[in-house]
Amino acid sequence: MLDGIRVAQDVGFDAIKINTVVKRGVNDDDVLAIAEHFRGTPVTVRFIEFMDVGTTNGWNLDQVVPSAEIIERISAVHPLEPLRPAYRGETANRWRYVDGAGEVGAISSVTEPFCGSCTRARISADGKLFTCLFASRGHDLRALLRDGCTDAELEAALAGIWNARDDRYSELRTADTPTERIEMSYIGG
């Protein structure tokens, strides 16, 4: 895998990001080692809180390692300072090493939901638009296209879906949250 990263860098990629999901009792003891492995390289590791991304991953709130804890662990050895978002709607909070040895990120969708500033939608392989990773259903765009809608009609339908969305799953999540939702792998994570 590292050889693949070096090759990607050699062919002109400016920034390389690696995402790693952190799950208590599974790999949370490796957080510092992972950060140190990529410290001083052009690779930004983004630590993701273990999420309930469907119903098949056996999610339990007790297995979530809060991003704040992850950043504290790294910063205790290699001091970090927060960075501003690189763009509106960025899902990862970013920190840079105070000594300039790179940066790390954290996606805190469980402990610090960002539903209100979310700018993401996904389209499944069968043409359904999902306005949230945790949606229980999608909106059928394929039918619109097959019925011959114009670009303007498609644009109006997309705007209507987006403007009417009320997705707040991550903000409302609790240990007792209903489990009926799409599998993240179905919509491309």
Side-chain angles (χ1 to χ4, degrees):
M1 182 166 144
L2 292 179
D3 289 334
I5 290 171
R6 286 189 193 102
V7 169
Q9 181 184 3
D10 291 341
V11 294
F13 288 84
D14 293 331
I16 301 166
K17 296 177 184 148
I18 292 182
N19 295 334
T20 184
V21 174
V22 180
K23 184 176 177 183
R24 191 169 308 284
V26 175
N27 65 345
D28 59 315
D29 289 340
D30 297 325
V31 165
L32 183 58
I34 293 167
E36 287 178 333
H37 182 82
F38 293 102
R39 188 175 136 73
T41 74
V43 177
T44 299
V45 178
R46 296 191 314 179
F47 296 97
I48 303 173
E49 293 176 342
F50 180 51
M51 295 184 286
D52 47 336
V53 293
T55 59
T56 60
N57 73 342
W59 186 82
N60 182 308
L61 188 58
D62 295 335
Q63 296 170 318
V64 174
V65 179
S67 292
E69 181 179 327
I70 293 168
I71 297 305
E72 285 173 18
R73 288 185 193 184
I74 298 167
S75 194
V77 177
H78 304 289
L80 296 167
E81 61 186 12
L83 292 169
R84 292 180 184 258
Y87 56 90
R88 183 182 175 279
E90 184 173 24
T91 57
N93 291 317
R94 300 167 36 238
W95 289 264
R96 75 172 202 88
Y97 293 106
V98 172
D99 66 5
E103 71 176 63
V104 296
I107 298 176
S108 312
S109 67
V110 176
T111 61
E112 298 177 39
F114 40 83
C115 299
S117 63
C118 180
T119 60
R120 289 172 166 69
R122 288 173 170 78
I123 300 176
S124 64
D126 63 351
K128 290 190 177 75
L129 174 72
F130 290 85
T131 57
C132 179
L133 278 178
F134 304 102
S136 58
R137 65 175 186 80
H139 303 271
D140 193 359
L141 298 181
R142 181 174 64 178
L144 287 173
L145 294 170
R146 287 191 173 166
D147 286 345
C149 75
T150 66
D151 288 351
E153 291 169 332
L154 180 60
E155 184 177 336
L158 290 170
I161 291 167
W162 189 258
N163 291 331
R165 74 185 188 102
D166 59 0
D167 306 309
R168 292 183 47 232
Y169 177 84
S170 290
E171 290 176 351
L172 302 172
R173 175 194 287 117
T174 68
D176 298 323
T177 301
T179 58
E180 184 183 330
R181 59 191 170 278
I182 194 73
E183 296 294 326
M184 186 185 283
S185 60
Y186 177 74
I187 56 173

PDB file of all heavy atoms in Angstrom, residues 71-95:
ATOM      1  N   ILE A  71      -7.536  13.116  19.050  1.00  0.00           N
ATOM      2  CA  ILE A  71      -6.655  14.277  18.894  1.00  0.00           C
ATOM      3  C   ILE A  71      -5.852  14.516  20.176  1.00  0.00           C
ATOM      4  O   ILE A  71      -4.658  14.836  20.121  1.00  0.00           O
ATOM      5  CB  ILE A  71      -7.473  15.523  18.473  1.00  0.00           C
ATOM      6  CG1 ILE A  71      -8.125  15.291  17.098  1.00  0.00           C
ATOM      7  CG2 ILE A  71      -6.614  16.777  18.483  1.00  0.00           C
ATOM      8  CD1 ILE A  71      -7.159  14.908  15.978  1.00  0.00           C
ATOM      9  N   GLU A  72      -6.476  14.325  21.331  1.00  0.00           N
ATOM     10  CA  GLU A  72      -5.748  14.475  22.602  1.00  0.00           C
ATOM     11  C   GLU A  72      -4.597  13.484  22.692  1.00  0.00           C
ATOM     12  O   GLU A  72      -3.504  13.836  23.144  1.00  0.00           O
ATOM     13  CB  GLU A  72      -6.690  14.262  23.787  1.00  0.00           C
ATOM     14  CG  GLU A  72      -7.623  15.418  24.050  1.00  0.00           C
ATOM     15  CD  GLU A  72      -8.661  15.098  25.128  1.00  0.00           C
ATOM     16  OE1 GLU A  72      -8.461  14.124  25.903  1.00  0.00           O
ATOM     17  OE2 GLU A  72      -9.674  15.811  25.184  1.00  0.00           O
ATOM     18  N   ARG A  73      -4.823  12.250  22.296  1.00  0.00           N
ATOM     19  CA  ARG A  73      -3.768  11.228  22.342  1.00  0.00           C
ATOM     20  C   ARG A  73      -2.581  11.623  21.476  1.00  0.00           C
ATOM     21  O   ARG A  73      -1.436  11.487  21.886  1.00  0.00           O
ATOM     22  CB  ARG A  73      -4.293   9.875  21.859  1.00  0.00           C
ATOM     23  CG  ARG A  73      -5.240   9.193  22.798  1.00  0.00           C
ATOM     24  CD  ARG A  73      -5.581   7.824  22.242  1.00  0.00           C
ATOM     25  NE  ARG A  73      -6.716   7.219  22.909  1.00  0.00           N
ATOM     26  CZ  ARG A  73      -7.158   6.000  22.645  1.00  0.00           C
ATOM     27  NH1 ARG A  73      -6.561   5.261  21.722  1.00  0.00           N
ATOM     28  NH2 ARG A  73      -8.197   5.513  23.287  1.00  0.00           N
ATOM     29  N   ILE A  74      -2.863  12.092  20.273  1.00  0.00           N
ATOM     30  CA  ILE A  74      -1.779  12.472  19.359  1.00  0.00           C
ATOM     31  C   ILE A  74      -1.087  13.724  19.876  1.00  0.00           C
ATOM     32  O   ILE A  74       0.152  13.789  19.946  1.00  0.00           O
ATOM     33  CB  ILE A  74      -2.316  12.698  17.934  1.00  0.00           C
ATOM     34  CG1 ILE A  74      -2.913  11.390  17.386  1.00  0.00           C
ATOM     35  CG2 ILE A  74      -1.217  13.217  17.011  1.00  0.00           C
ATOM     36  CD1 ILE A  74      -3.740  11.567  16.127  1.00  0.00           C
ATOM     37  N   SER A  75      -1.862  14.723  20.274  1.00  0.00           N
ATOM     38  CA  SER A  75      -1.315  16.007  20.706  1.00  0.00           C
ATOM     39  C   SER A  75      -0.500  15.894  21.992  1.00  0.00           C
ATOM     40  O   SER A  75       0.400  16.702  22.227  1.00  0.00           O
ATOM     41  CB  SER A  75      -2.444  17.025  20.868  1.00  0.00           C
ATOM     42  OG  SER A  75      -1.929  18.325  20.965  1.00  0.00           O
ATOM     43  N   ALA A  76      -0.767  14.886  22.809  1.00  0.00           N
ATOM     44  CA  ALA A  76       0.002  14.690  24.039  1.00  0.00           C
ATOM     45  C   ALA A  76       1.465  14.366  23.722  1.00  0.00           C
ATOM     46  O   ALA A  76       2.361  14.676  24.510  1.00  0.00           O
ATOM     47  CB  ALA A  76      -0.610  13.571  24.875  1.00  0.00           C
ATOM     48  N   VAL A  77       1.703  13.778  22.568  1.00  0.00           N
ATOM     49  CA  VAL A  77       3.065  13.404  22.168  1.00  0.00           C
ATOM     50  C   VAL A  77       3.612  14.368  21.112  1.00  0.00           C
ATOM     51  O   VAL A  77       4.784  14.739  21.143  1.00  0.00           O
ATOM     52  CB  VAL A  77       3.083  11.953  21.629  1.00  0.00           C
ATOM     53  CG1 VAL A  77       4.474  11.568  21.146  1.00  0.00           C
ATOM     54  CG2 VAL A  77       2.580  10.985  22.700  1.00  0.00           C
ATOM     55  N   HIS A  78       2.764  14.749  20.184  1.00  0.00           N
ATOM     56  CA  HIS A  78       3.132  15.653  19.093  1.00  0.00           C
ATOM     57  C   HIS A  78       2.103  16.783  19.075  1.00  0.00           C
ATOM     58  O   HIS A  78       1.028  16.622  18.484  1.00  0.00           O
ATOM     59  CB  HIS A  78       3.139  14.922  17.747  1.00  0.00           C
ATOM     60  CG  HIS A  78       4.022  13.727  17.704  1.00  0.00           C
ATOM     61  ND1 HIS A  78       5.403  13.818  17.706  1.00  0.00           N
ATOM     62  CD2 HIS A  78       3.729  12.400  17.705  1.00  0.00           C
ATOM     63  CE1 HIS A  78       5.915  12.609  17.679  1.00  0.00           C
ATOM     64  NE2 HIS A  78       4.928  11.724  17.676  1.00  0.00           N
ATOM     65  N   PRO A  79       2.392  17.896  19.722  1.00  0.00           N
ATOM     66  CA  PRO A  79       1.401  18.969  19.852  1.00  0.00           C
ATOM     67  C   PRO A  79       0.770  19.373  18.514  1.00  0.00           C
ATOM     68  O   PRO A  79       1.457  19.488  17.500  1.00  0.00           O
ATOM     69  CB  PRO A  79       2.200  20.123  20.451  1.00  0.00           C
ATOM     70  CG  PRO A  79       3.287  19.433  21.223  1.00  0.00           C
ATOM     71  CD  PRO A  79       3.658  18.238  20.382  1.00  0.00           C
ATOM     72  N   LEU A  80      -0.546  19.560  18.582  1.00  0.00           N
ATOM     73  CA  LEU A  80      -1.339  19.927  17.413  1.00  0.00           C
ATOM     74  C   LEU A  80      -2.026  21.258  17.654  1.00  0.00           C
ATOM     75  O   LEU A  80      -2.296  21.630  18.790  1.00  0.00           O
ATOM     76  CB  LEU A  80      -2.416  18.866  17.156  1.00  0.00           C
ATOM     77  CG  LEU A  80      -1.949  17.470  16.788  1.00  0.00           C
ATOM     78  CD1 LEU A  80      -3.105  16.482  16.871  1.00  0.00           C
ATOM     79  CD2 LEU A  80      -1.345  17.466  15.396  1.00  0.00           C
ATOM     80  N   GLU A  81      -2.328  21.952  16.562  1.00  0.00           N
ATOM     81  CA  GLU A  81      -3.148  23.156  16.632  1.00  0.00           C
ATOM     82  C   GLU A  81      -4.196  23.082  15.524  1.00  0.00           C
ATOM     83  O   GLU A  81      -3.924  22.545  14.450  1.00  0.00           O
ATOM     84  CB  GLU A  81      -2.318  24.425  16.530  1.00  0.00           C
ATOM     85  CG  GLU A  81      -1.546  24.592  15.250  1.00  0.00           C
ATOM     86  CD  GLU A  81      -0.628  25.799  15.263  1.00  0.00           C
ATOM     87  OE1 GLU A  81      -0.422  26.387  16.342  1.00  0.00           O
ATOM     88  OE2 GLU A  81      -0.126  26.156  14.184  1.00  0.00           O
ATOM     89  N   PRO A  82      -5.406  23.583  15.804  1.00  0.00           N
ATOM     90  CA  PRO A  82      -6.483  23.463  14.817  1.00  0.00           C
ATOM     91  C   PRO A  82      -6.229  24.309  13.583  1.00  0.00           C
ATOM     92  O   PRO A  82      -5.587  25.362  13.648  1.00  0.00           O
ATOM     93  CB  PRO A  82      -7.715  23.949  15.576  1.00  0.00           C
ATOM     94  CG  PRO A  82      -7.207  24.753  16.706  1.00  0.00           C
ATOM     95  CD  PRO A  82      -5.829  24.255  17.027  1.00  0.00           C
ATOM     96  N   LEU A  83      -6.746  23.829  12.464  1.00  0.00           N
ATOM     97  CA  LEU A  83      -6.718  24.560  11.201  1.00  0.00           C
ATOM     98  C   LEU A  83      -8.148  24.941  10.820  1.00  0.00           C
ATOM     99  O   LEU A  83      -9.092  24.250  11.185  1.00  0.00           O
ATOM    100  CB  LEU A  83      -6.131  23.687  10.084  1.00  0.00           C
ATOM    101  CG  LEU A  83      -4.651  23.353  10.192  1.00  0.00           C
ATOM    102  CD1 LEU A  83      -4.281  22.281   9.171  1.00  0.00           C
ATOM    103  CD2 LEU A  83      -3.818  24.600   9.965  1.00  0.00           C
ATOM    104  N   ARG A  84      -8.283  25.989  10.066  1.00  0.00           N
ATOM    105  CA  ARG A  84      -9.599  26.377   9.552  1.00  0.00           C
ATOM    106  C   ARG A  84     -10.012  25.382   8.465  1.00  0.00           C
ATOM    107  O   ARG A  84      -9.162  24.808   7.801  1.00  0.00           O
ATOM    108  CB  ARG A  84      -9.543  27.776   8.950  1.00  0.00           C
ATOM    109  CG  ARG A  84      -9.317  28.852   9.959  1.00  0.00           C
ATOM    110  CD  ARG A  84      -9.278  30.209   9.237  1.00  0.00           C
ATOM    111  NE  ARG A  84      -8.961  31.251  10.175  1.00  0.00           N
ATOM    112  CZ  ARG A  84      -9.856  32.081  10.688  1.00  0.00           C
ATOM    113  NH1 ARG A  84     -11.103  31.990  10.319  1.00  0.00           N
ATOM    114  NH2 ARG A  84      -9.504  32.991  11.544  1.00  0.00           N
ATOM    115  N   PRO A  85     -11.307  25.242   8.246  1.00  0.00           N
ATOM    116  CA  PRO A  85     -11.750  24.376   7.149  1.00  0.00           C
ATOM    117  C   PRO A  85     -11.175  24.857   5.819  1.00  0.00           C
ATOM    118  O   PRO A  85     -11.035  26.066   5.588  1.00  0.00           O
ATOM    119  CB  PRO A  85     -13.275  24.518   7.163  1.00  0.00           C
ATOM    120  CG  PRO A  85     -13.605  24.996   8.540  1.00  0.00           C
ATOM    121  CD  PRO A  85     -12.429  25.810   8.985  1.00  0.00           C
ATOM    122  N   ALA A  86     -10.855  23.921   4.955  1.00  0.00           N
ATOM    123  CA  ALA A  86     -10.314  24.268   3.640  1.00  0.00           C
ATOM    124  C   ALA A  86     -11.416  24.741   2.695  1.00  0.00           C
ATOM    125  O   ALA A  86     -11.152  25.446   1.730  1.00  0.00           O
ATOM    126  CB  ALA A  86      -9.596  23.064   3.042  1.00  0.00           C
ATOM    127  N   TYR A  87     -12.664  24.340   2.971  1.00  0.00           N
ATOM    128  CA  TYR A  87     -13.795  24.740   2.141  1.00  0.00           C
ATOM    129  C   TYR A  87     -15.082  24.581   2.945  1.00  0.00           C
ATOM    130  O   TYR A  87     -15.115  23.854   3.933  1.00  0.00           O
ATOM    131  CB  TYR A  87     -13.862  23.911   0.847  1.00  0.00           C
ATOM    132  CG  TYR A  87     -13.911  22.420   1.085  1.00  0.00           C
ATOM    133  CD1 TYR A  87     -15.128  21.754   1.237  1.00  0.00           C
ATOM    134  CD2 TYR A  87     -12.746  21.681   1.171  1.00  0.00           C
ATOM    135  CE1 TYR A  87     -15.175  20.393   1.481  1.00  0.00           C
ATOM    136  CE2 TYR A  87     -12.780  20.314   1.407  1.00  0.00           C
ATOM    137  CZ  TYR A  87     -13.993  19.678   1.547  1.00  0.00           C
ATOM    138  OH  TYR A  87     -14.031  18.330   1.789  1.00  0.00           O
ATOM    139  N   ARG A  88     -16.134  25.272   2.500  1.00  0.00           N
ATOM    140  CA  ARG A  88     -17.432  25.208   3.166  1.00  0.00           C
ATOM    141  C   ARG A  88     -17.964  23.777   3.101  1.00  0.00           C
ATOM    142  O   ARG A  88     -17.942  23.147   2.052  1.00  0.00           O
ATOM    143  CB  ARG A  88     -18.411  26.163   2.497  1.00  0.00           C
ATOM    144  CG  ARG A  88     -19.762  26.215   3.165  1.00  0.00           C
ATOM    145  CD  ARG A  88     -20.717  27.148   2.408  1.00  0.00           C
ATOM    146  NE  ARG A  88     -22.043  27.120   2.949  1.00  0.00           N
ATOM    147  CZ  ARG A  88     -22.961  26.172   2.672  1.00  0.00           C
ATOM    148  NH1 ARG A  88     -22.674  25.203   1.863  1.00  0.00           N
ATOM    149  NH2 ARG A  88     -24.158  26.226   3.212  1.00  0.00           N
ATOM    150  N   GLY A  89     -18.436  23.261   4.218  1.00  0.00           N
ATOM    151  CA  GLY A  89     -18.996  21.921   4.250  1.00  0.00           C
ATOM    152  C   GLY A  89     -17.971  20.813   4.419  1.00  0.00           C
ATOM    153  O   GLY A  89     -18.319  19.641   4.310  1.00  0.00           O
ATOM    154  N   GLU A  90     -16.726  21.165   4.688  1.00  0.00           N
ATOM    155  CA  GLU A  90     -15.702  20.130   4.893  1.00  0.00           C
ATOM    156  C   GLU A  90     -16.106  19.262   6.091  1.00  0.00           C
ATOM    157  O   GLU A  90     -16.439  19.774   7.156  1.00  0.00           O
ATOM    158  CB  GLU A  90     -14.336  20.776   5.137  1.00  0.00           C
ATOM    159  CG  GLU A  90     -13.219  19.772   5.271  1.00  0.00           C
ATOM    160  CD  GLU A  90     -11.840  20.419   5.347  1.00  0.00           C
ATOM    161  OE1 GLU A  90     -11.734  21.598   5.749  1.00  0.00           O
ATOM    162  OE2 GLU A  90     -10.877  19.725   5.011  1.00  0.00           O
ATOM    163  N   THR A  91     -16.062  17.953   5.914  1.00  0.00           N
ATOM    164  CA  THR A  91     -16.506  17.051   6.982  1.00  0.00           C
ATOM    165  C   THR A  91     -15.420  16.767   8.000  1.00  0.00           C
ATOM    166  O   THR A  91     -15.732  16.419   9.134  1.00  0.00           O
ATOM    167  CB  THR A  91     -17.003  15.719   6.409  1.00  0.00           C
ATOM    168  OG1 THR A  91     -15.961  15.128   5.638  1.00  0.00           O
ATOM    169  CG2 THR A  91     -18.230  15.927   5.548  1.00  0.00           C
ATOM    170  N   ALA A  92     -14.186  16.900   7.619  1.00  0.00           N
ATOM    171  CA  ALA A  92     -13.086  16.625   8.548  1.00  0.00           C
ATOM    172  C   ALA A  92     -12.643  17.914   9.238  1.00  0.00           C
ATOM    173  O   ALA A  92     -12.469  18.944   8.595  1.00  0.00           O
ATOM    174  CB  ALA A  92     -11.899  16.008   7.812  1.00  0.00           C
ATOM    175  N   ASN A  93     -12.472  17.837  10.548  1.00  0.00           N
ATOM    176  CA  ASN A  93     -11.769  18.903  11.271  1.00  0.00           C
ATOM    177  C   ASN A  93     -10.296  18.592  11.110  1.00  0.00           C
ATOM    178  O   ASN A  93      -9.890  17.435  11.163  1.00  0.00           O
ATOM    179  CB  ASN A  93     -12.166  18.910  12.741  1.00  0.00           C
ATOM    180  CG  ASN A  93     -13.603  19.342  12.934  1.00  0.00           C
ATOM    181  OD1 ASN A  93     -14.063  20.284  12.302  1.00  0.00           O
ATOM    182  ND2 ASN A  93     -14.321  18.641  13.785  1.00  0.00           N
ATOM    183  N   ARG A  94      -9.493  19.631  10.935  1.00  0.00           N
ATOM    184  CA  ARG A  94      -8.076  19.425  10.648  1.00  0.00           C
ATOM    185  C   ARG A  94      -7.205  20.079  11.704  1.00  0.00           C
ATOM    186  O   ARG A  94      -7.544  21.125  12.240  1.00  0.00           O
ATOM    187  CB  ARG A  94      -7.747  19.997   9.265  1.00  0.00           C
ATOM    188  CG  ARG A  94      -8.545  19.343   8.159  1.00  0.00           C
ATOM    189  CD  ARG A  94      -8.493  20.065   6.805  1.00  0.00           C
ATOM    190  NE  ARG A  94      -7.226  20.663   6.493  1.00  0.00           N
ATOM    191  CZ  ARG A  94      -7.045  21.968   6.237  1.00  0.00           C
ATOM    192  NH1 ARG A  94      -8.046  22.804   6.295  1.00  0.00           N
ATOM    193  NH2 ARG A  94      -5.870  22.428   5.946  1.00  0.00           N
ATOM    194  N   TRP A  95      -6.070  19.436  11.986  1.00  0.00           N
ATOM    195  CA  TRP A  95      -5.057  19.965  12.899  1.00  0.00           C
ATOM    196  C   TRP A  95      -3.707  19.816  12.229  1.00  0.00           C
ATOM    197  O   TRP A  95      -3.464  18.858  11.500  1.00  0.00           O
ATOM    198  CB  TRP A  95      -5.029  19.163  14.207  1.00  0.00           C
ATOM    199  CG  TRP A  95      -6.210  19.393  15.076  1.00  0.00           C
ATOM    200  CD1 TRP A  95      -6.311  20.266  16.122  1.00  0.00           C
ATOM    201  CD2 TRP A  95      -7.486  18.754  15.001  1.00  0.00           C
ATOM    202  NE1 TRP A  95      -7.554  20.205  16.693  1.00  0.00           N
ATOM    203  CE2 TRP A  95      -8.301  19.279  16.014  1.00  0.00           C
ATOM    204  CE3 TRP A  95      -8.027  17.775  14.162  1.00  0.00           C
ATOM    205  CZ2 TRP A  95      -9.608  18.873  16.225  1.00  0.00           C
ATOM    206  CZ3 TRP A  95      -9.325  17.366  14.361  1.00  0.00           C
ATOM    207  CH2 TRP A  95     -10.099  17.915  15.382  1.00  0.00           C
TER     208      TRP A  95
END
